[in-house]
Amino acid sequence: MSSRMPPLDECPAWKNLIAHHREVGNLHLRQLFADDAGRGERFSAEAAGIHLDFSKNRITGETLRLLVRLAEECGLRERATAMFEGKAINLTERRAVLHIALRAPRDRRVACDGIDVVPHVHAVLDRMAGFADRIRNGEWKGYTGRRIRNIVNIGIGGSDLGPVMACEALRHYSQRDLCMRFVSNVDGTDFSEATRDLDAGETLFIVCSKTFSTLETLTNASTARAWVTGRLGDDRAVARHFVAVSTNAAAVAAFGIDTANMFGFWDWVGGRYSMTSAVGLSTMISIGPENFGAMLAGFHAMDEHFLGAPFERNLPVLLGLLAVWNVNFFDARTLAVVPYEQYLKRLPAYLQQLAMESNGKQVTLEGARVAWDTSPVYWGEPGTNGQHSFFQLMHQGTRAVPCDFIGFCQPLNPAGNHHDLLMANLFAQAEALAFGRSAAEVRAEGTPEWLVPHRCFEGNRTSNVLLAERLTPHALGALVALYEHSVFTQGVIWNIDSFDQWGVELGKVLAQRTATEFDSARDPDLRHDSSTNALIRRYRRLRQQGD
Ligand code: F6P
């Protein structure tokens, strides 16, 4: 049990923040910038090659001081140290939380239950690198002697979203003659569309599941096994076309994959924190061990920064505290992440699991109902596409939507003036959200009076800008670690367990039970409500008609 005292809403800094919000909550960013010519520089920080400009938050120097104070009172330093020392900070599952060990250099020591885990981590990384090289150079052959050209990762949640995001983000660095595909949904369409143009003799499946018991993944893996053995005409083909990534060797063997072809990890790696473990095998095959190592170095650089830097210059701490400020004091319900980088198109989806499965909680570590809001909804799309869809609401809607803009100074695919236009849009959006356009300015442009209210932008809308030189594997690692530790920071302030996910259980249990009822001749289980019973009856009737 946690011994944190007092509860968040009784912390002196929290009470001071409430009083402080009454004083500054109505200040306009226009005013704040007018009062301080150096604000843009003053409210920015840098680490691991990432520059964070947080000056367009509705804060003053005093806000920052109080937020940092809050982090101290909530024991953020102690909790971060406990995480890095391998303490069982995932209280409800009694587990250590050591994803930081996955990117620790060989010469580091990270202990879990008195055992240094770093040699184990590097042993797996070395095996992964050997295997990735054999796929990349064509040495590993399929059952019929053909070279592997297609890699299909089968997994869901943390066993899918990280690899999908990273493979897309680092596609520029990929070996282009390897085709990367991902199957996650139990909807048969996902498997069917991912494999319809593939040659089984050239296809490797990576079955990726921490528990190796996830319904969607095992269903897809069974379908894949039948697809391979059916096309290659021999069950022995499985050994050349399937590898597994899991913590559960017994289940891997029971499925029929030789554990010699399994890459392991450990229960102290949470699914949504696992992209730097063996779960990253598809990423490593795509970009190569060297680039994967550079990505790990980026993660590690941000880990070190998070653990050591003073809170007021600590990027993950600042990002986390600002999210708390916006959620709990400005009633922000959502947080948009808008990368001005096409390769980061899957980053918002990745961050949704990271943030919302971690901090979508309603009880404290002690099991009491929280008296404060917890995680906002994370969402987003690449800019500039978002500008032509949901940005209208962000500029003129009734709800404030804090936004993280992410951009890079150098393009990976230079083309005329595309990159300058892209970045001009990023800076312009942040500026427009913050400063808006007043009625006087609109009138001065000759706008007819009846149209003036429609053309006004009140501004004062919060955003952060994250800027790095170039989207490299190192930069991606630093960026993802930044969000990981920001999510951790938020969870510590809200005093919740950011590392369990009990909220996904009920639906799984009900789905298992419901699935058994479709083929039954009996009336749907009366334990259901009238709505569910009626839906099941209708489905049974109509699916038979379609047969
Ligand atoms: O159901 C949620 C979840 O447990 C996630 O936390 C996890 O990332 C995902 O399912 C997949 O789990 P596994 O890797 O064990 O198949």
Side-chain angles (χ1 to χ4, degrees):
M1 295 290 272
S2 154
S3 57
R4 186 172 102 165
M5 292 291 284
L8 176 59
D9 49 1
E10 288 173 27
C11 285
W14 185 264
K15 291 183 177 168
N16 289 339
L17 277 163
I18 292 173
H20 172 71
H21 179 257
R22 271 188 228 113
E23 280 169 31
V24 303
N26 286 326
L27 292 180
H28 199 289
L29 283 167
R30 269 188 227 127
Q31 190 64 48
L32 292 169
F33 272 85
D35 290 349
D36 176 3
R39 182 179 170 92
E41 280 83 40
R42 202 152 69 83
F43 290 130
S44 63
E46 189 151 344
I50 297 184
H51 174 85
L52 165 65
D53 176 346
F54 57 98
S55 61
K56 297 190 187 80
N57 280 270
R58 295 165 67 179
I59 57 169
T60 65
E62 177 65 1
T63 319
L64 199 56
R65 199 186 64 76
L66 288 172
L67 286 170
V68 164
R69 202 60 223 286
L70 180 69
E72 285 160 357
E73 288 178 14
C74 291
L76 178 60
R77 180 73 66 206
E78 295 75 15
R79 291 285 298 285
T81 304
M83 173 166 73
F84 278 64
E85 287 179 349
K87 303 266 163 51
I89 63 164
N90 175 357
L91 289 187
T92 70
E93 295 179 328
R94 297 177 195 274
R95 282 182 186 160
V97 175
L98 272 180
H99 43 278
I100 55 100
L102 299 170
R103 47 271 187 147
R106 277 180 206 277
D107 57 0
R108 279 301 168 89
R109 185 186 148 79
V110 179
C112 183
D113 291 331
I115 295 165
D116 182 9
V117 298
V118 177
H120 300 278
V121 165
H122 279 274
V124 174
L125 283 172
D126 290 345
R127 277 191 64 228
M128 287 165 63
F131 181 72
D133 281 339
R134 290 175 73 199
I135 296 289
R136 289 165 63 82
N137 64 24
E139 208 182 289
W140 177 284
K141 299 280 193 291
Y143 185 64
T144 55
R146 308 252 293 280
R147 183 181 178 143
I148 297 296
R149 299 194 183 279
N150 316 303
I151 315 293
V152 183
N153 187 85
I154 297 180
I156 197 164
S159 297
D160 169 70
L161 290 163
V164 173
M165 182 276 290
C167 281
E168 187 58 37
L170 300 177
R171 186 194 279 256
H172 183 76
Y173 305 88
S174 66
Q175 184 167 312
R176 298 285 182 164
D177 63 358
L178 288 173
C179 165
M180 310 303 298
R181 298 266 168 93
F182 297 87
V183 174
S184 55
N185 199 334
V186 77
D187 182 339
T189 296
D190 205 8
F191 181 85
S192 176
E193 287 294 341
T195 53
R196 62 184 301 126
D197 58 344
L198 302 187
D199 181 330
E202 299 181 341
T203 302
L204 176 81
F205 288 93
I206 302 175
V207 185
C208 193
S209 173
K210 179 178 171 182
T211 55
F212 227 79
S213 64
T214 305
L215 174 91
E216 292 87 344
T217 300
L218 291 191
T219 305
N220 279 319
S222 297
T223 301
R225 187 175 50 195
W227 184 83
V228 166
T229 56
R231 277 170 172 71
L232 301 185
D234 195 331
D235 286 355
R236 285 174 298 175
V238 169
R240 304 303 297 171
H241 293 272
F242 282 82
V243 297
V245 171
S246 188
T247 59
N248 187 348
V252 168
F255 178 82
I257 298 177
D258 187 343
T259 48
N261 293 334
M262 167 182 156
F263 299 86
F265 59 114
W266 307 271
D267 71 356
W268 40 261
V269 182
R272 53 194 175 273
Y273 297 88
S274 67
M275 64 173 275
T276 50
S277 72
V279 168
L281 182 61
S282 52
T283 313
M284 192 192 269
I285 292 172
S286 175
I287 63 171
E290 201 174 316
N291 281 319
F292 195 83
M295 183 183 80
L296 296 185
F299 271 93
H300 179 66
M302 189 59 77
D303 293 342
E304 295 274 280
H305 167 76
F306 173 59
L307 190 65
F311 286 170
E312 53 277 9
R313 293 203 307 277
N314 192 312
L315 265 63
V317 172
L318 289 166
L319 211 57
L321 290 175
L322 291 167
V324 168
W325 174 242
N326 288 319
V327 166
N328 298 116
F329 296 88
F330 287 99
D331 196 26
R333 310 266 170 109
T334 81
L335 196 158
V337 179
V338 184
Y340 279 67
E341 170 53 71
Q342 186 65 17
Y343 284 127
L344 291 184
K345 67 180 182 200
R346 295 304 305 270
L347 182 69
Y350 173 79
L351 294 179
Q352 284 185 326
Q353 189 201 12
L354 179 68
M356 291 155 71
E357 199 167 72
S358 295
N359 288 340
K361 309 287 163 67
Q362 57 181 216
V363 295
T364 64
L365 285 167
E366 295 79 20
R369 174 84 196 196
V370 291
W372 43 88
D373 279 326
T374 59
S375 184
V377 172
Y378 277 66
W379 61 287
E381 275 289 318
T384 57
N385 299 6
Q387 290 171 217
H388 295 273
S389 63
F390 53 80
F391 268 59
Q392 167 63 39
L393 181 149
M394 288 173 51
H395 285 290
Q396 289 188 318
T398 52
R399 278 208 166 276
V401 180
C403 176
D404 289 353
F405 292 104
I406 301 171
F408 298 87
C409 298
Q410 299 167 10
L412 290 174
N413 296 295
N417 65 344
H418 283 234
H419 197 68
D420 285 347
L421 291 176
L422 178 73
M423 295 305 287
N425 271 282
L426 186 165
F427 300 143
Q429 289 301 324
E431 189 175 0
L433 286 167
F435 303 108
R437 194 159 57 159
S438 67
E441 287 167 319
V442 172
R443 280 192 192 103
E445 289 167 355
T447 307
E449 199 53 33
W450 65 269
L451 201 50
V452 168
H454 298 276
R455 296 196 60 203
C456 283
F457 292 66
E458 65 188 21
N460 216 14
R461 307 212 164 192
T462 292
S463 69
N464 292 306
V465 176
L466 292 160
L467 206 57
E469 203 170 282
R470 191 177 170 86
L471 177 54
T472 59
H474 188 283
L476 180 72
L479 185 65
V480 174
L482 165 57
Y483 276 99
E484 284 179 348
H485 299 312
S486 157
V487 164
F488 176 76
T489 298
Q490 294 168 53
V492 169
I493 302 296
W494 291 322
N495 193 28
I496 54 183
D497 191 329
S498 299
F499 301 103
D500 63 13
Q501 56 283 318
W502 300 105
V504 300
E505 296 303 325
L506 178 59
K508 286 185 191 173
V509 172
L510 293 184
Q512 296 266 21
R513 194 173 86 195
T514 304
T516 64
E517 291 165 358
F518 293 152
D519 286 324
S520 157
R522 284 191 298 120
D523 208 35
D525 190 334
L526 290 177
R527 283 177 296 179
H528 294 298
D529 58 276
S530 60
S531 157
T532 310
N533 282 337
L535 290 167
I536 293 173
R537 265 189 223 109
R538 175 173 290 264
Y539 175 68
R540 290 207 312 202
R541 203 171 62 240
L542 293 179
R543 94 177 166 135
Q544 271 160 16
Q545 282 172 6
D547 280 346

